Amino acid sequence: MSSCPIGGLSENNPNTQEDVVTSTKTFVNKLNTVVIPVSDQDRAIDFYVEKLGLEKRTDMPFGNGYRWVEVAPADADTTIALAPPPQGKPAGNRETGIGLQTDDIDGYHAELKANGVDVDAEVSRIGDPVPPLFWLRDPEGNSLMVVG
């Protein structure tokens, strides 16, 4: 009879695998809102709604003269908040880390380019597993990626 545990790994084997069981429960169940700090919310709304084709979901005052604005693709759960930066922090020129998805990357790229949006000259096609993609910049220099 063997004294090796299941899987043939012994206590002296440096490749011993153990099941990791955690008792910590996460309470996060979805990605809700990402924030892009902007200095001009009206200009940002115009760009994200009129140029990118997102819809404005929320636009309401809050706090001491602040305004909470959210935009999103139709039917999306996750929104983008276009909010003033924290006091003393600059807005603009950020790599947002936001990726927008489209089923027609070439058509969307051409439309944005025709509408004067600052987009990469061409759609990048690196190959699997990287999808076709391009970058765009909003009027404040914040960059977003579009993948197809």
Side-chain angles (χ1 to χ4, degrees), residues 6 64 74 78 82 98 105 108 131 139:
I6 296 175
N64 295 326
T78 304
L82 305 171
I98 297 171
I105 194 156
Y108 191 45

Side-chain angles (χ1 to χ4, degrees), residues 17-90:
Q17 296 177 350
E18 296 180 19
D19 289 335
V20 177
V21 179
T22 179
S23 61
T24 304
K25 180 179 178 182
T26 180
F27 294 99
V28 176
N29 58 17
K30 71 177 181 175
L31 184 60
N32 186 54
T33 303
V34 294
V35 178
I36 299 177
V38 297
S39 60
D40 185 333
Q41 287 176 300
D42 289 322
R43 181 174 67 170
I45 291 167
D46 181 58
F47 176 79
Y48 285 88
V49 172
E50 300 302 322
K51 301 280 187 178
L52 298 188
L54 306 182
E55 62 185 26
K56 183 168 62 169
R57 298 271 182 91
T58 304
D59 188 348
M60 59 185 290
F62 79 98
N64 295 326
Y66 288 103
R67 187 170 153 206
W68 187 255
V69 176
E70 292 181 22
V71 296
D75 300 324
D77 289 333
T78 304
T79 61
I80 299 172
L82 305 171
Q87 192 168 4
K89 302 277 183 167

Side-chain angles (χ1 to χ4, degrees), residues 96-115:
T96 66
I98 297 171
L100 304 174
Q101 195 278 328
T102 180
D103 292 331
D104 180 7
I105 194 156
D106 294 309
Y108 191 45
H109 181 264
E111 178 183 321
L112 293 176
K113 198 172 191 178
N115 286 333

